[in-house]
Amino acid sequence: MSHWEKNKKYELEKQYSPSQWSHRMSADDVIKAHVAALKSGTEKARSLAQTLVDIPYGEGDEEKLDVYVPISSSPDVPLVIYIHGGYWQFLSKEESGFMAVPLAPKGVVVVAVGYSIAPKGNMDLMVSQVRRSVAATVQQYSHISGLYLCGHSAGAHLAAMVLSTDWSEYSVSPQIKGAFLVSGIYDLLPILSTYVNDPLKMTEEVAVRNSPSQLLHQLKASSSACDIVIAVAQNDSPEFRKQSEFYFRSLEAAGLNVTFEDVPNTDHFNIIEQFVDENYHLTQLLLKMMGKI
């Protein structure tokens, strides 16, 4: 590898290392704080909602959901499916219930999706799993008033892949009303040569077929009525910001209902952590979208 290639690889790896761009704390500390924040939010959610854990949506060990059901019932029950991040190789549904903290008291069901992270799971499997989890949720909760998706980082990528699903291959066609894609990656090609791909072992072919930016025609076919919010943190890396901006412009050009939220004073991690707060800008947007404000 030439000196120029080494420099280029180093720069690309830095761009795709979100913890190096936080202004709040060191790279190691921001990740530790992130896991702690998600865990404590999820513990709080379990005290505020009736929690059903490990509901299977498939045969695999990781193909399970945690469901946070509001204690008070109302006829208008929206449901939010949350897909966790962690670069397709960390985190789990166990610390992914935090959005229920502001949502359950408003009568919203929150579903946290488990999937087979790398190296056990590959990209094709993970995409298939999250699609099946959505189909299973819709079949299980047919009485809900509206279905919404939220994904963070790698989870935003997976949520975008859900929006780009050909549902004719499934026994159900979910009508997703809204989707929040937070600090996501929508083109997998740039990460092929980085450390992120070490456990994923994606080939170029796998990366292309699992890149939401390549599937706009399918998104238009299956999610044309969905309100899509692409959110990015002020202190996300330039490459992460570029990915979100490019995907937003592509969706806008395709005529989809999409808005872009550049969230000030946030980094890659607290942009999602703050969803535990009812007054947080993105939580308010989601509540408005669901008619809960």
Side-chain angles (χ1 to χ4, degrees):
M1 196 184 279
S2 71
H3 180 64
W4 180 79
E5 282 171 327
K6 270 187 186 156
N7 276 356
K8 193 176 172 195
K9 182 173 160 60
Y10 170 79
E11 182 50 40
L12 197 61
E13 296 218 324
K14 188 179 176 198
Q15 287 288 333
Y16 284 101
S17 301
S19 57
Q20 294 197 32
W21 299 85
S22 172
H23 294 191
R24 295 179 295 136
M25 48 186 98
S26 74
D28 285 349
D29 287 346
V30 82
I31 289 172
K32 278 187 205 138
H34 182 55
V35 174
L38 300 184
K39 277 187 173 159
S40 87
T42 300
E43 277 166 30
K44 189 171 180 191
R46 290 187 176 195
S47 69
L48 291 170
Q50 183 190 349
T51 312
L52 312 170
V53 297
D54 294 335
I55 309 289
Y57 65 83
E59 301 298 315
D61 290 346
E62 292 84 15
E63 295 179 358
K64 294 189 169 73
L65 310 168
D66 288 349
V67 184
Y68 297 79
V69 182
I71 290 162
S72 59
S73 61
S74 80
D76 170 28
V77 181
L79 185 146
V80 175
I81 295 177
Y82 178 71
I83 304 169
H84 72 79
Y87 255 161
W88 307 278
Q89 57 197 284
F90 304 111
L91 297 175
S92 70
K93 70 176 175 56
E94 315 305 325
E95 59 282 291
S96 299
F98 56 92
M99 285 183 79
V101 173
L103 298 183
K106 299 270 189 192
V108 180
V109 176
V110 175
V111 173
V113 178
Y115 55 92
S116 302
I117 55 174
K120 188 172 178 183
N122 60 39
M123 191 58 74
D124 287 324
L125 175 63
M126 289 184 253
V127 168
S128 158
Q129 286 175 327
V130 294
R131 286 172 168 167
R132 284 185 284 119
S133 78
V134 172
T137 300
V138 170
Q139 284 168 315
Q140 183 82 37
Y141 297 97
S142 53
H143 60 284
I144 58 166
S145 64
L147 178 65
Y148 299 83
L149 273 186
C150 179
H152 171 240
S153 196
H157 159 267
L158 293 170
M161 290 299 287
V162 169
L163 294 178
S164 309
T165 303
D166 177 359
W167 294 109
S168 65
E169 297 169 31
Y170 296 77
S171 53
V172 64
S173 182
Q175 300 304 304
I176 300 167
K177 284 192 175 179
F180 277 66
L181 309 178
V182 183
S183 289
I185 291 183
Y186 309 103
D187 176 6
L188 300 181
L189 288 171
I191 63 171
L192 282 180
S193 61
T194 70
Y195 72 94
V196 180
N197 196 33
D198 292 349
L200 294 166
K201 299 185 170 41
M202 282 188 294
T203 61
E204 190 167 322
E205 188 189 358
V206 171
V208 168
R209 72 167 169 258
N210 289 297
S211 286
S213 59
Q214 304 284 335
L215 300 170
L216 295 175
H217 58 290
Q218 188 53 57
L219 180 106
K220 200 165 182 190
S222 62
S223 303
S224 59
C226 178
D227 280 320
I228 302 168
V229 175
I230 309 243
V232 69
Q234 180 184 350
N235 296 322
D236 259 318
S237 76
E239 195 67 24
F240 262 89
R241 290 177 57 84
K242 193 168 92 183
Q243 284 241 8
S244 285
E245 285 162 13
F246 180 79
Y247 192 53
F248 163 69
R249 283 200 298 270
S250 305
L251 296 188
E252 196 179 39
L256 288 144
N257 307 325
V258 60
T259 53
F260 187 78
E261 293 292 331
D262 190 344
V263 188
N265 307 316
T266 54
D267 57 35
H268 188 80
F269 303 95
N270 62 4
I271 188 174
I272 195 75
E273 292 164 11
Q274 291 182 67
F275 260 107
V276 293
D277 177 5
E278 186 192 322
N279 298 311
Y280 175 47
H281 173 59
L282 294 182
T283 317
Q284 289 276 306
L285 273 186
L286 177 56
L287 287 167
K288 273 189 194 130
M289 197 186 272
M290 296 188 291
K292 290 291 182 182
I293 293 184

